[in-house]
Amino acid sequence: MTTGLIPGGQTPDPRPTSALPPHQRSEQVGQAPQHADSRSRSSVITARAAASFEPVGRSVATARSFVRDTLQGWGFGDVVDDAVVLTSELVTNAVVHAGTHADVLCLRGDDGVRIEVADRYPEREIPLQGSAVTMGNLDREGGRGLQLCAAIAGRWGVEYTPTHKQVWFQLNLPERPVGTRAAGPALPADLLPLADGRVRVAVVQIDRTGSISAWNEDAEELFGYAADQVVGKPLTDLAAWPHTPGTSTGIAEALQLSRWEGSYGIRGADGRVTPVYASHLRVRDTGGEPSTVCLLVRDHERAVLQTPLRVPSSDATPSADGPNTDPFEVFIGSPAPDDLDGLLQRTVERARDMLDGDSAFLLLATDDETELEVRASTGLPSARQRFARVPVEAGPGRYGSARMPAVHEDLTAVPGAVPLLNGTGMRSVVTVPLKVEGRLTGSLGVAAESPGRYSNEEALRLQFAADRIALAVESARLGELERLRRGSLSFLVEASDLLAGTLDRDQTLALMAQMTVPTLATWCAVYTIADQASEPYLSYVLHEDEELIDGIKSLLSKISPPDPVPTPGARVWPAPAEAAHQAALRTSMRSLGLGEPTTVSSGIGPTLATASAVGGETVVLPLVARNRVIGMLTLGKPTDEHFRQEILELAEDLSRRAALALDNARLYSERTAISQSLQRSLLPPELPEIDSVEVEVIYRAAGEGNEVGGDFYDVFPIRDGAYGFAIGDVCGTGPNAAAVTGLARHALRLLAREGLSGPAVLERLNSAILDEGARSRFLTLLYGELRPQEDGSAELKVVCAGHPLPLRLRQDGTVEAAAEPQPLLGVMDDLELYEQTVTLDPGDVLLCVTDGVTERREGTRMLGDDGLADVLTTCTGLTAGAVAARIMRAVERFASDAPSDDMAILTMRVPGVHKD
């Protein structure tokens, strides 16, 4: 959308010259036919605003806002609604039905406003008043725009050229008595607004950059700054802008509006914030530069500036103009907002105006009608009350008048009758229920600062209006709930997928927090409970602003954790907000020199920021899995904010899924720790240091998370000067194979140290394996005893029971088998085994491997014994560690897939002459 605003002067025709050929066709429709050149524009055009809208559906709402803001800025509030209705219909015809851009031109004159809407589809049929062509059926999707022009506008017309079609209409301002805009009733002197001495009106001018360009004497008196102290500084440095949930308007945005009124604060020279009521007017100087003039008074003197926008009471009652008048449209205005929040806000504003109140509010009932939730208010601190909930029937702070109309002439006589108004200064109130088919939908109320303002007559008028809007409110509410539930379902599906994708406890905690912030809450904390005897532990904290996480964590660590109550549902936890309030109070007092001195002045900001972040509503949801509370999920809002009931229900669903995922992660972590501990117990301790012999082992267990499999190795001292070594392979992998591995390794050590020979050791181990019965597994094993010799060689006595043969690498690069094959263990009862003696000369290497090395496959190829021997021939002169590393690299490079079998490599080398 592009816009332009030009005040003053006679405005030329907005269309390009090329769009006005001599043969253009012009049709005037309205009170009297006239030539195109004498179109009914005001004699003097005082302002012009133009905008162009793209052919998309959202442009209709943007065009409505553009016309509304423009006319309100011009002070044409009396014709705003009519202009918005007509513009909406005409722009809809252009961007939706014709599918072209729409150009909107607003012209301000002395006696009214003229609006022109042009599209780029001149071939459309133009129904003309007074012709035989019917102007269309009311049920048709299109064609209503011109009917509305005929019914509402003072004058209107249609023009079209070969490239454009333009519909214009003029709305005249109603005649008003000179000097009268709004008037209130005569009041006794004691009811007039109270002012402190001389009423001071600060006049502050803000330039286009948001900086102060003018500052009058009253502003100096009110806020303590001299003009030269503030001129050139941004107003945002002084303004304390209230936070309003659900809206994005801040001080910078308010300064850009054509006209604005409202309350905020100005931080004075003494550091205190003075509440003010302000009236902003956007103007341009003679050079065309925009600026904003701000008039400010003390907030309690707001009557000096506040514009009483009141609708005549007759507008809220049924009209006798004809049977086609819709009471809903009369009350809520046309067009009605198409979203629930907009409809509710319009309702409370019209209700307040109808009864000439100071504030109004609307609460919606929960599905079970047990609680009411604040959804809209005007004239009240909405940031403190929005989404707050109160019970309907019983309990402290209940809404006793929710189901029936009620009038309270003076709330000081019945404290707490309307909890929403506690501490607001409101004295009298009238409340009525919103019901649909006998079901309580909500409650609508209007309040005033003076007592005795309302009677049964006002209650009946308000109830009449509530009855007309209840169905529309319920329909919009159900539509919003349906959208929320569809969004909630998608959210929970995605959350379940993410939580199911990990079994890591820390990652599960992080996911829980990241899914809630900022979707469900502003900050989140997760407490975990190790067992029933343990206290809750603060495990994870997350805030949408990462700079506040440490502060919140520190604050929560100083208060007792919430009680681990297994009752499902969210419960309010006031401790964080109370602690935050106390921390902020102490910090503020120290900064003013009223409390204990502090040496960390830079900590004031973060402390106050943390207190604000945690100062809102905090709820706790239990994390219950397998009938045990394993933790708590804590969700929080910043200062004065509350949770919606739908958000709490969604958080409860998420907490159930998160609890199960967290418990699964806990169980997985425990079992993994147990498994790893048991596996590590099956591995031998560190290799012994053997004089004159280098020993190196490389071990790889197949399968993720496995440290021990069916392959095993061991090197251990037997007696003085003698060492045993073994490398074996149990049939299969995993825990069952690892159990036999443990049996074999420990049995070998025990039997060898009893002084038995190698064959006797293996025969006894064979009997032990067979004694395992159905749990037994066959085992291939290479066992030997090593004795270093005085001449620098080493003598080995080896028994190879069904295992891949050990390979001997000589210094000249030749490779040969160092033993003969014999029967494997765990199959036959009677074994006849024998040992063979091998002497390793200096520089020789003995290589022992399991079949996971020789049976390494890539497609149909297998490394095999020959391939292993070929690799070993390249290892002449290498140390034992280098030989083992080269063999493992060759095995890994032989195939790209991960190994499917355990692998063990044992190398022994007698040091000799090294080759570079």
Side-chain angles (χ1 to χ4, degrees):
M1 181 188 81
T2 57
T3 63
L5 181 63
I6 305 174
Q10 186 72 29
T11 304
D13 195 301
R15 295 167 297 167
T17 305
S18 58
L20 295 172
H23 60 276
Q24 79 170 37
R25 176 182 175 185
S26 175
E27 296 288 347
Q28 297 293 329
V29 184
Q31 293 178 351
Q34 51 184 312
H35 192 270
D37 291 340
S38 61
R39 292 175 297 172
S40 178
R41 290 188 178 178
S42 300
S43 58
V44 177
I45 302 300
T46 58
R48 171 184 180 273
S52 180
F53 303 94
E54 297 179 353
V56 293
R58 63 176 180 272
S59 293
V60 179
T62 309
R64 289 198 295 263
S65 298
F66 165 69
V67 172
R68 180 180 298 278
D69 293 343
T70 299
L71 299 191
Q72 286 181 340
W74 290 346
F76 286 0
D78 295 323
V79 298
V80 164
D81 288 341
D82 290 343
V84 168
V85 170
L86 296 179
T87 303
S88 179
E89 289 294 332
L90 297 177
V91 173
T92 300
N93 289 341
V95 302
V96 176
H97 302 311
T100 77
H101 283 72
D103 301 320
V104 179
L105 174 66
C106 300
L107 301 173
R108 182 181 69 183
D110 296 334
D111 56 352
V113 62
R114 173 189 172 104
I115 297 178
E116 301 176 357
V117 179
D119 65 39
R120 301 169 192 179
Y121 189 30
E123 292 83 1
R124 288 182 56 83
E125 177 186 2
I126 307 299
L128 305 178
Q129 185 179 17
S131 67
V133 180
T134 303
M135 292 189 68
N137 190 310
L138 290 176
D139 296 329
R140 288 179 55 190
E141 182 179 6
R144 293 191 297 266
L146 299 182
Q147 293 180 12
L148 286 173
C149 287
I152 296 176
R155 304 182 67 86
W156 67 283
V158 180
E159 301 174 4
Y160 59 95
T161 72
T163 58
H164 287 73
K165 173 173 69 68
Q166 177 180 275
V167 180
W168 61 268
F169 60 88
Q170 179 170 322
L171 299 172
N172 298 323
L173 293 178
E175 301 227 352
R176 295 174 177 168
V178 176
T180 300
R181 178 172 182 182
L187 295 175
D190 58 346
L191 295 181
L192 295 176
L194 181 64
D196 298 336
R198 181 169 86 81
V199 175
R200 297 186 180 273
V201 180
V203 180
V204 183
Q205 192 155 357
I206 312 298
D207 63 21
R208 66 183 307 163
T209 66
S211 299
I212 299 172
S213 59
W215 184 268
N216 74 340
E217 294 179 358
D218 280 357
E220 294 182 9
E221 183 67 24
L222 285 176
F223 310 122
Y225 296 106
D228 57 354
Q229 292 180 282
V230 294
V231 170
K233 292 184 178 180
L235 182 62
T236 53
D237 289 354
L238 306 180
W241 194 257
H243 177 67
T244 305
T247 66
S248 60
T249 302
I251 180 65
E253 290 80 8
L255 292 174
Q256 299 298 318
L257 299 176
S258 60
R259 187 179 296 275
W260 183 89
E261 286 185 14
S263 298
Y264 52 91
I266 294 294
R267 190 173 291 104
D270 59 359
R272 296 184 179 181
V273 174
T274 300
V276 297
Y277 188 84
S279 176
H280 296 175
L281 177 65
R282 188 79 163 159
V283 298
R284 287 204 295 176
D285 60 19
T286 55
E289 287 294 319
S291 63
T292 302
V293 177
C294 305
L295 306 180
L296 301 93
V297 297
R298 296 183 183 92
D299 192 69
H300 64 273
E301 297 171 341
R302 63 170 55 195
V304 176
L305 297 180
Q306 189 170 24
T307 303
L309 299 176
R310 297 289 185 256
V311 177
S313 60
S314 58
D315 289 355
T317 57
S319 173
D321 293 342
N324 294 328
T325 303
D326 186 351
F328 171 77
E329 293 290 347
V330 169
F331 177 74
I332 208 64
S334 177
D338 53 4
D339 64 296
L340 177 61
D341 287 338
L343 178 61
L344 299 182
Q345 192 62 37
R346 178 82 65 84
T347 298
V348 296
E349 291 171 357
R350 293 299 174 90
R352 181 200 63 180
D353 295 344
M354 183 180 72
L355 297 188
D356 196 28
D358 296 305
S359 64
F361 52 88
L362 194 150
L363 303 90
L364 292 184
T366 56
D367 289 340
D368 55 6
E369 300 183 33
T370 59
E371 289 185 313
L372 291 169
E373 185 178 69
V374 180
R375 290 300 300 272
S377 65
T378 183
L380 295 174
S382 58
R384 178 169 63 86
Q385 303 293 350
R386 187 169 169 82
F387 299 126
R389 291 174 301 280
V390 291
V392 174
E393 300 295 348
R398 70 185 182 89
Y399 243 96
S401 59
R403 297 189 184 276
M404 296 291 292
V407 177
H408 296 281
E409 295 184 352
D410 192 349
L411 290 176
T412 59
V414 281
V418 184
L420 181 62
L421 301 180
N422 291 345
T424 63
M426 300 297 158
R427 296 284 299 276
S428 56
V429 62
V430 53
T431 61
V432 297
L434 277 69
K435 292 185 177 181
V436 176
E437 297 180 353
R439 179 182 178 276
L440 180 66
T441 298
S443 178
L444 176 63
V446 178
E449 295 179 350
S450 57
R453 285 281 297 275
Y454 303 115
S455 63
N456 288 337
E457 180 182 352
E458 283 79 11
L460 292 175
R461 290 174 58 198
L462 189 61
Q463 184 67 72
F464 179 84
D467 292 341
R468 296 303 179 272
I469 67 169
L471 185 59
V473 169
E474 179 69 359
S475 177
R477 187 181 74 90
L478 292 176
E480 181 189 69
L481 286 177
E482 181 61 25
R483 288 190 297 272
L484 284 173
R485 284 167 180 161
R486 285 199 300 266
S488 300
L489 182 60
S490 300
F491 172 79
L492 291 174
V493 168
E494 182 179 358
S496 298
D497 290 342
L498 289 173
L499 291 170
T502 179
L503 287 172
D504 182 84
R505 176 182 176 276
D506 293 338
Q507 189 173 1
T508 302
L509 289 172
L511 283 174
M512 289 170 58
Q514 291 166 6
M515 284 185 293
T516 58
V517 176
T519 305
L520 305 182
T522 306
W523 64 272
C524 167
V526 182
Y527 290 84
T528 56
I529 303 175
D531 52 60
Q532 294 182 351
S534 302
E535 291 293 323
Y537 174 74
L538 182 61
S539 298
Y540 201 90
V541 175
L542 183 66
H543 191 280
E544 59 184 9
D545 183 353
E546 294 182 357
E547 296 182 355
L548 298 176
I549 293 177
D550 291 338
I552 296 176
K553 188 180 299 183
S554 175
L555 181 69
L556 293 178
S557 64
K558 296 176 181 177
I559 61 178
S560 300
D563 296 330
V565 178
T567 306
R571 70 181 191 277
V572 176
W573 184 32
E578 294 173 356
H581 175 74
Q582 293 299 325
L585 181 61
R586 289 194 299 269
T587 301
S588 300
M589 293 181 66
R590 285 197 301 266
S591 66
L592 296 174
L594 301 177
E596 298 178 359
T598 177
T599 59
V600 188
S601 59
S602 61
I604 294 175
T607 301
L608 293 177
T610 301
S612 176
V614 187
E617 187 175 54
T618 302
V619 297
V620 177
L621 298 103
L623 298 174
V624 180
R626 298 176 175 90
N627 298 321
R628 187 174 74 87
V629 180
I630 64 171
M632 284 87 70
L633 178 63
T634 304
L635 306 180
K637 286 282 190 179
T639 300
D640 297 334
E641 287 199 33
H642 298 267
F643 285 96
R644 296 185 59 174
Q645 185 63 33
E646 295 83 3
I647 295 297
L648 294 179
E649 293 172 358
L650 179 58
E652 185 179 356
D653 286 338
L654 175 64
S655 67
R656 287 195 290 266
R657 290 164 169 79
L660 187 59
L662 183 61
D663 199 46
N664 288 339
R666 178 188 62 83
L667 293 174
Y668 178 77
S669 298
E670 290 178 356
R671 281 155 178 73
T672 300
I674 293 172
S675 173
Q676 291 175 345
S677 177
L678 292 175
Q679 290 185 64
R680 283 191 291 269
S681 70
L682 299 177
L683 294 174
E686 295 181 358
L687 298 178
E689 294 287 341
I690 303 177
D691 293 337
S692 303
V693 177
E694 300 173 359
V695 180
E696 185 64 35
V697 173
I698 295 180
Y699 183 80
R700 298 284 190 275
E704 183 179 358
N706 290 333
E707 296 184 28
V708 175
D711 291 7
F712 69 95
Y713 68 92
D714 201 0
V715 180
F716 55 92
I718 300 176
R719 48 190 173 270
D720 293 341
Y723 295 87
F725 65 91
I727 183 170
D729 184 2
V730 178
C731 173
T733 60
N736 292 331
V740 179
T741 294
L743 170 65
R745 192 176 67 79
H746 291 293
L748 283 175
R749 286 193 172 216
L750 179 63
L751 295 172
R753 288 169 177 171
E754 290 294 323
L756 300 176
S757 63
V761 169
L762 267 61
E763 288 170 1
R764 301 239 180 141
L765 176 59
N766 180 64
S767 299
I769 294 173
L770 292 175
D771 288 344
E772 291 292 308
R775 295 183 300 175
S776 68
R777 291 170 175 255
F778 64 81
L779 167 67
T780 68
L781 179 64
L782 172 65
Y783 173 74
E785 295 182 3
L786 180 148
R787 289 177 179 272
Q789 303 297 310
E790 294 181 357
D791 60 359
S793 63
E795 182 184 79
L796 287 76
K797 294 183 178 181
V798 181
V799 180
C800 186
H803 198 77
L805 300 179
L807 298 179
R808 176 180 180 181
L809 171 65
R810 295 185 181 274
Q811 275 194 319
D812 59 4
T814 59
V815 175
E816 61 184 6
E820 297 177 352
Q822 299 183 58
L824 52 76
L825 308 180
V827 178
M828 299 179 293
D829 290 331
D830 297 326
L831 292 179
E832 295 183 0
L833 302 175
Y834 57 92
E835 62 184 11
Q836 297 174 271
T837 302
V838 179
T839 300
L840 294 181
D841 296 325
D844 289 354
V845 176
L846 184 71
L847 173 65
C848 310
V849 301
T850 58
D851 60 5
V853 174
T854 57
E855 295 180 1
R856 179 73 164 151
R857 294 180 179 275
E858 174 69 19
T860 58
R861 298 185 307 120
M862 185 173 70
L863 180 62
D865 296 334
D866 294 338
L868 181 62
D870 292 340
V871 176
L872 185 59
T873 58
T874 66
C875 299
T876 304
L878 299 181
T879 63
V883 172
R886 178 169 292 187
I887 296 297
M888 179 55 72
R889 283 198 304 270
V891 172
E892 291 173 343
R893 292 173 179 173
F894 187 80
S896 58
D897 296 338
S900 59
D901 196 4
D902 305 327
M903 293 187 293
I905 300 173
L906 171 63
T907 57
M908 291 180 289
R909 178 177 179 272
V910 178
V913 180
H914 292 275
K915 293 183 180 180
D916 295 334

